[in-house]
Amino acid sequence: MQKFTCYVVLLLFLLCFFQAFSWSQFNQGENYEGSSDLINLEYHMGPVLASAINLYIIWYGQWNPTHQATIRDFLDSFSSSSVPYPSVADWWDTVRLYTDQTGSNITATISISGEFYDSGYSHGVYLSRLSMQSIIKAAVTSHSRPLPLNPHNGLYLVLTSQDVQVEDFCRAVCGFHYFTFPILVGVTVPYAWVGYSGTQCPGMCAYPFAWPKYSGKPPPTGGNDITHAPNGDAGVDGMISVIAHELAEVSSNPLINAWYAGEDPTAPTEIADLCLGLYGSGGGGGYMGKVYKDAWGNGYNVHGVKGRRFLVQWVWNPVKRRCFGPNAMD
Ligand SMILES: *[C@@H]1O[C@H](CO)[C@@H](O)[C@H](O)[C@H]1NC(C)=O
């Protein structure tokens, strides 16, 4: 659990009984770039995603094809070996340090194995957390081009378009992960949801590409953006980091009984929660840390396929016992 405001802490207690979720990107009250023995990240004996992951994307709502292409390229970068260092795959290497009780590491292989277009908003534009499971159910039972229901090594990623409101979205969360219930979907499979925040709350969920209005401080440059988005859209570039955050956490804690800190499994602090707002060395206290700038001055910290660049938050490295990313200077 992160310090945010009393309001959010209150929300936490009220809302988090059923689902694990992630705090916003702009939440820098605490982070742990320095090595720390205070962090009590523990393994609770459950599985991690050790088998090659078949990722199934559900595009919920009306999506801009340019935004979809950016997200696909990001996801295709996880297992690509032909990308210069530091790459998305190099970033994932930190996540791979987590193992299960058989000693198996989290997999290096994530492949997009199916995509489903729920462009007709099957469950409307106001979604509860639980309705994500019904959306997955609809996608795997659709008459036209259903996704496979893969309980062995499937991972479902529900991405909602800019006009869709989701319970807690923009208030407490930018994305979350959990697992399906057999009564709703037929099997237990891990899934994650991430929303497009570009129109609803970029200052909260697309930090550091948009300035948080409620931060109480003016933007440093007087403009609205603090770091320009490497793929040209603050909403999508912000979403990339939230997707990375959720993939790291769902892989290390898919059934909410593997890797997390804190005593309370209903409010676990997971491997990316520990490093919110940190993207490079020296980060913390509202500074994202040292990242690279491309020729246009856009910020990034990893390379991806097709010459893409992305900015993804760091995750907790269990060996170094600190937040870490491949762009670290030490
Ligand atoms: C697997 O995890 C262990 C423990 O963190 C680590 O020492 C090892 O390097 C990891 N292997 C890979 C391939 O990441």
Side-chain angles (χ1 to χ4, degrees):
M1 182 171 48
Q2 306 283 307
K3 255 182 266 163
F4 192 44
T5 62
C6 295
Y7 174 62
V8 170
V9 170
L10 184 65
L11 268 179
L12 173 74
F13 283 105
L14 294 176
L15 299 173
C16 71
F17 288 98
F18 301 108
Q19 306 208 324
F21 54 79
S22 308
W23 296 102
S24 74
Q25 298 292 287
F26 185 73
N27 183 350
Q28 302 139 9
E30 283 177 79
N31 62 59
Y32 304 94
E33 207 221 333
S35 177
S36 175
D37 293 323
L38 297 175
I39 302 306
N40 192 22
L41 188 71
E42 285 183 332
Y43 177 55
H44 297 82
M45 306 313 275
V48 301
L49 299 187
S51 306
I53 295 170
N54 287 294
L55 191 66
Y56 303 102
I57 306 176
I58 299 172
W59 301 101
Y60 190 90
Q62 292 288 327
W63 274 87
N64 173 331
T66 306
H67 295 175
Q68 289 175 306
T70 307
I71 292 170
R72 273 189 209 103
D73 288 346
F74 175 65
L75 295 169
D76 282 339
S77 300
F78 276 77
S79 305
S80 173
S81 52
S82 57
V83 172
Y85 190 91
S87 65
V88 175
D90 296 320
W91 176 86
W92 187 251
D93 278 348
T94 300
V95 177
R96 295 202 62 218
L97 295 172
Y98 292 86
T99 54
D100 64 16
Q101 48 173 308
T102 72
S104 304
N105 292 72
I106 290 175
T107 180
T109 308
I110 301 182
S111 20
I112 300 178
S113 303
E115 297 185 49
F116 185 82
Y117 299 87
D118 193 335
S119 45
Y121 303 82
S122 64
H123 291 71
V125 294
Y126 299 93
L127 302 177
S128 67
R129 286 168 170 267
L130 207 52
S131 60
M132 295 304 160
Q133 298 196 29
S134 309
I135 288 168
I136 293 168
K137 171 78 175 176
V140 298
T141 54
S142 166
H143 292 301
S144 141
R145 298 162 150 269
L147 286 180
L149 180 56
N150 178 347
H152 305 294
N153 54 3
L155 172 59
Y156 294 79
L157 180 61
V158 182
L159 302 175
T160 49
S161 58
Q162 49 97 17
D163 47 350
V164 176
Q165 297 190 36
V166 176
E167 180 181 357
D168 299 338
F169 183 35
C170 293
R171 287 176 293 278
V173 301
C174 303
F176 66 80
H177 72 89
Y178 204 57
F179 53 87
T180 61
F181 294 131
I183 192 88
L184 294 176
V185 178
V187 295
T188 298
V189 281
Y191 71 91
W193 157 76
V194 179
Y196 178 86
S197 65
T199 40
Q200 292 181 49
C201 58
M204 172 154 176
C205 293
Y207 173 86
F209 303 115
W211 188 250
K213 284 199 206 79
Y214 48 79
S215 65
K217 295 183 206 154
T221 57
N224 206 33
D225 294 340
I226 40 182
T227 306
H228 292 283
N231 298 286
D233 184 89
V236 162
D237 276 299
M239 229 179 142
I240 295 287
S241 190
V242 181
I243 291 171
H245 176 126
E246 297 305 332
L247 290 179
E249 294 189 338
V250 75
S251 299
S252 53
N253 198 24
L255 304 182
I256 324 295
N257 60 6
W259 289 95
Y260 61 88
E263 296 304 308
D264 183 359
T266 65
T269 297
E270 300 173 302
I271 68 166
D273 294 328
L274 290 165
C275 307
L276 283 169
L278 266 188
Y279 302 81
S281 292
Y287 171 52
M288 66 173 167
K290 187 124 185 74
V291 302
Y292 309 116
K293 289 263 153 82
D294 67 16
W296 299 272
N298 305 316
Y300 72 97
N301 61 2
V302 285
H303 295 274
V305 297
K306 301 186 189 163
R308 295 245 193 213
R309 293 165 168 137
F310 302 105
L311 184 66
V312 292
Q313 72 149 90
W314 283 7
V315 293
W316 184 260
N317 180 312
V319 177
K320 296 180 192 293
R321 298 191 60 78
R322 63 185 178 100
C323 294
F324 190 77
N327 59 312
M329 297 170 73
D330 56 344

